[in-house]
Amino acid sequence: MTPIVKELNVEEISGLQIGHAQIEEGKTGVTVLYFPRGARVGCHISGGGPACRETPLTLSETADNPVNAIVLSGGSAYGLAAADGVMRCLEKHDIGYATPFCRIPLVCQSCIFDLGYGSADVRPDFSMGYEACERALAGTDGRMGNIGGGTGASVGKLYGMKRAMKSGFGIHSVQIGEIQITAAVIVNALGDIVNPRNGRKIAGLMNETRTDFCDTVMELTRFMEPRDMFTGNTTIGAVITNAAFSKAEMNKIASMAQNAYARCINPVGTMADGDTIYAAAVLSADGEKPVAADINLVGTMAAEAMSEAIHKAILSSEMPDEEFLRYCLG
């Protein structure tokens, strides 16, 4: 009998807790994915301009120490300061890699560029990271849309914010037998977004009167000569599973999960994006038998879950045009 793929609420996922913090003034925020038992983490970076911290922890040739948390935030490279607050919060709760002198929490982070929305002077910082971590330690906040690191997310930005659309944070969780897989993503893309189920465009570049979509790929053909395409992008996310894999295998699963970006975002992985996906295998509890799984199945289903999370990031972030443009253009 073929196992049934069952959709779960993220609160049902073992070994993962999620906390958010944001500030409305700046339209930016932080999302913390906390692993109470630690996790083996891999990473795949396909964009040309990532803002990230401690991604060498995911390399196969570095020490195989469990990662405590992944931080997804706004603020571009300035937002990397949020991880300082996450580390301090974890240290306060005696969480991290034990040394003879102190505990050192192992925290990876990636940021989107959201400085063109809200206030460019307001960015995620130590206090926002600390707050989001405290909330993650308390449990899981399963809300989506304009929350946490997704607060300032937008898509379709070839011509800047005036023709972009609002996006946000999305989550999708499934279970197959004993295997659990969750995808969490902040969609902040240069490109257009399509529904993974039918290929229909659901968000992206608008025409000058904001009455219909334009095709970003076709618009790109206007620019035959090399040019600076910076408009402030980057889609960042993570897939999390309770199945037992090595760090090297999690790097492979991260690269397979990237297929979801290709299915749902077009164009994607450009030099004007910093697209990144983490893949985390949460460690089993003491005395608990690790969940065995085929890497091909988990990598494939991770891409499926990520596709649905991207879809949800768009659908849960609806905002009236006039409100969106007011914050973008003043």
Side-chain angles (χ1 to χ4, degrees):
M1 179 180 295
T2 303
I4 296 173
V5 179
K6 175 186 176 183
E7 186 171 341
L8 299 178
N9 294 321
V10 69
E11 293 87 353
E12 301 177 76
I13 297 297
S14 174
L16 169 67
Q17 295 173 203
I18 302 175
H20 305 283
Q22 62 275 333
I23 185 166
E24 288 301 314
E25 175 192 353
K27 292 295 178 183
T28 192
V30 177
T31 295
V32 173
L33 310 178
Y34 166 58
F35 311 116
R37 303 190 295 269
R40 290 191 177 93
V41 176
C43 183
H44 182 78
I45 299 175
S46 55
C52 53
R53 170 171 168 159
E54 288 280 51
T55 48
L57 293 175
T58 69
L59 297 176
S60 300
E61 59 267 33
T62 59
D64 192 22
N65 297 315
V67 168
N68 302 113
I70 295 172
V71 181
L72 307 176
S73 84
S76 188
Y78 289 108
L80 293 171
D84 291 335
V86 175
M87 288 186 66
R88 182 66 186 93
C89 179
L90 292 174
E91 181 190 29
K92 178 184 175 183
H93 290 274
D94 200 32
I95 297 167
Y97 178 75
T99 76
F101 313 102
C102 64
R103 284 193 177 270
I104 303 176
L106 302 183
V107 177
C108 298
Q109 181 179 3
S110 287
C111 307
I112 66 168
F113 188 103
D114 56 3
L115 303 180
Y117 178 53
S119 172
D121 296 329
V122 179
R123 303 127 181 185
D125 56 12
F126 180 100
S127 61
M128 199 182 296
Y130 194 102
E131 180 183 352
C133 188
E134 284 280 21
R135 291 176 177 175
L137 291 173
T140 291
D141 184 341
R143 289 178 292 170
M144 293 182 281
N146 304 320
I147 190 169
T151 301
S154 54
V155 297
K157 290 178 283 188
L158 181 64
Y159 296 121
M161 298 301 291
K162 63 183 178 181
R163 291 171 63 179
M165 289 182 66
K166 188 71 185 72
S167 181
F169 175 69
I171 311 172
H172 188 74
S173 304
V174 296
Q175 182 162 339
I176 312 152
E178 295 183 337
I179 304 166
Q180 294 182 337
I181 301 168
T182 288
V185 66
I186 299 169
V187 183
N188 190 62
L190 171 76
D192 304 322
I193 314 301
V194 300
N195 182 335
R197 301 172 189 173
N198 56 28
R200 293 178 182 172
K201 190 178 296 186
I202 57 175
L205 179 67
M206 303 292 288
N207 61 21
E208 292 184 1
T209 59
R210 298 188 66 85
T211 55
D212 200 358
F213 290 123
C214 285
D215 188 320
T216 296
V217 172
M218 293 305 298
E219 291 295 315
L220 274 174
T221 63
R222 296 172 179 263
F223 309 113
M224 302 296 289
E225 298 297 324
R227 66 187 291 265
D228 183 0
M229 289 179 52
F230 173 79
T231 51
N233 311 295
T234 295
T235 296
I236 53 177
V239 291
I240 302 98
T241 182
N242 66 337
F245 290 107
S246 68
K247 189 163 59 166
E249 289 171 321
M250 294 314 296
N251 275 288
K252 177 58 178 176
I253 288 172
S255 72
M256 293 179 72
Q258 193 273 337
N259 290 323
Y261 285 12
R263 291 172 192 162
C264 300
I265 307 170
N266 194 23
V268 70
T270 71
M271 295 300 287
D273 292 286
D275 299 338
T276 301
I277 293 183
Y278 295 93
V282 298
L283 302 184
S284 54
D286 291 341
E288 183 180 78
K289 183 179 179 181
V291 176
D294 179 74
I295 188 172
N296 302 293
L297 168 64
V298 173
T300 298
M301 294 308 299
E304 292 289 322
M306 181 58 75
S307 296
E308 291 297 328
I310 292 170
H311 190 205
K312 289 181 176 180
I314 300 297
L315 297 186
S316 61
S317 303
E318 294 178 355
M319 178 178 287
D321 261 4
E322 58 272 18
E323 181 181 352
F324 178 64
L325 290 175
R326 183 170 70 251
Y327 283 108
C328 293
L329 306 178

